[in-house]
Amino acid sequence: MWQDLERMRAARQGRRIEALFAADPARADTFSVRVDGMVLDCSKTQLDTELRAALIALAEGAGVAERREAMFTGAPINETEGRAVLHTALRAPDDARIKVDGRDVMADVRATRARMTELAGALRAGRLRGQGGAITDVVNIGIGGSDLGPAMACAALAPCHDGPRCHFVSNVDGAHIHDTLAGLNPETTLIIVASKTFTTVETMTNAATARDWMAARVADPGAQFVALSSNADAAAEWGIAPERVFGFADWVGGRYSVWGPIGLSVMIAIGAERFGEFLNGAAAMDAHFRTAAPQDNMPMMLALVGLWHHQVCGHATRAVLPYDQRLALLPAYLQQLEMESNGKGVTMDGTPLDRAAGPVVWGAPGTNGQHAFYQLIHQGRQVVPCEFMVAARGHEPDLAHHHRLLVANCLAQSQALMRGRDIDAARALMARAGYSGAELERQAAHRVFPGNRPSMTLAYDRLTPRRLGQIVALYEHRVFVEGVIMGINSFDQWGVELGKELAGALAPALAEGRAPEDADGSTRALLDFVRERA
Ligand code: F6P
């Protein structure tokens, strides 16, 4: 299969994407996937019917459909940890029945959501109060999946905010919690300690600092703490009463957890009803992913074109470029989702992979990126497949002219990447500017754009809670498909462990002023440098 794709790549070498549009005026329609208010346009890539069929055959050969069913029905597909992968249960319709080890898990999911709804409602209505009155600010302390999901969703859904202000602290750098708490009143602040394991050193360090801050002004600080965790015992031991602990099962991976208790800050900010719309959007994408034919299946096509670019064409990175300022945190969110899931070196059975499983994912919102790194995307020697996102409408009707400029820029960028500018056009430009001879040649060379650079565009009507739910679930399932095709486990993250272990040994060394015995020369020298200046 891979060899077929390699052959197709060689056969398409140098083929201009623009020429494909000239040959087939309906191309944009043929290679777009539409789902409920959204369109994914894959036509500005090398995709053609033969290539699409080969990519779909690759997915079928890898057993994506069977694995997908196994995921949705609670089979233990996270094989290295012996767990089901059921974040989809957190957003499943009310009448869903999903069993793990023969037991329906939906009753617990619904009961926990009802408790979240109760707490969020009481906070928003001012019934649940701090020592100094109604809660005005909520601080979510977490990291990785316990931070990126709710922080991203809160920023994305700002137009829906009508609850207490939400803040996010993740970094163990004391500057983060210091600067966040600096403007807050402990008597009207609620602290959410979000940690699946309740052992993550950054989160527990920040939580302890927040407790000290609270204790200096509040008689019963525990009453203003909530825990979101699978480790109820550790939360209780830390001093958070069971009625303030919101648990979730081990089959919810950290980077897939925004749909359940880890999303509490989002629910507090926008209310349970709109949080429900966010879940419903994701559930609609789940149903689509589970039932649509491959070529009409948005996550499937997003994954397959991504695989073509990374695994077959060898483009090492992928840029995510939301032309939507409120999605500013989406690239960081997708970095964890994609790179922690698919940044793996061995297949499920431990065999080393012969090609990289997943690309480097990076990006920033447009139009800002245009004035920073797009230079490289347009003229650098490396090809960066781009994934644009844009809404047809913004949330500021009075500022429609801003939105028109935003959309124009988004569309212009994908057009420019595809079209490029050849040397003749560059020469003509320089001749019009008054250059001639050798200087004209020199100036023209700098103004050539190779073009033929692939991009996809996800367009949607408006960034509502439902659309956000769809978009996030779209990317989750894309990661799933790519992972299955590569034969890896997308749901563990052993690669984060070694650094944590070594940091555990170095932190006391810093306090005690001596390097661990097995430290290398570079680490010793850096420790000395820091100690001498601490
Ligand atoms: O270190 C990686 C990681 O385990 C992520 O997978 C996870 O989202 C994050 O740390 C936070 O973990 P926890 O929610 O257990 O604090």
Side-chain angles (χ1 to χ4, degrees), residues 411-436:
L411 303 188
Q413 290 299 326
S414 67
Q415 214 180 10
L417 284 168
M418 176 174 71
R419 204 180 263 186
R421 182 195 285 143
D422 65 17
I423 185 67
D424 291 337
R427 282 187 186 120
L429 199 69
M430 289 301 93
R432 282 200 297 279
Y435 289 95
S436 62

Side-chain angles (χ1 to χ4, degrees), residues 143-146 194-200 203 254-255 262 336 340 493 496-497 500:
I143 197 164
S146 299
S195 175
K196 179 177 171 182
T197 54
F198 226 74
T199 58
T200 303
T203 300
R255 53 194 174 273
I262 294 293
Q336 188 198 15
E340 196 166 79
Q493 56 283 323
V496 302
E497 297 301 328
K500 285 187 196 173

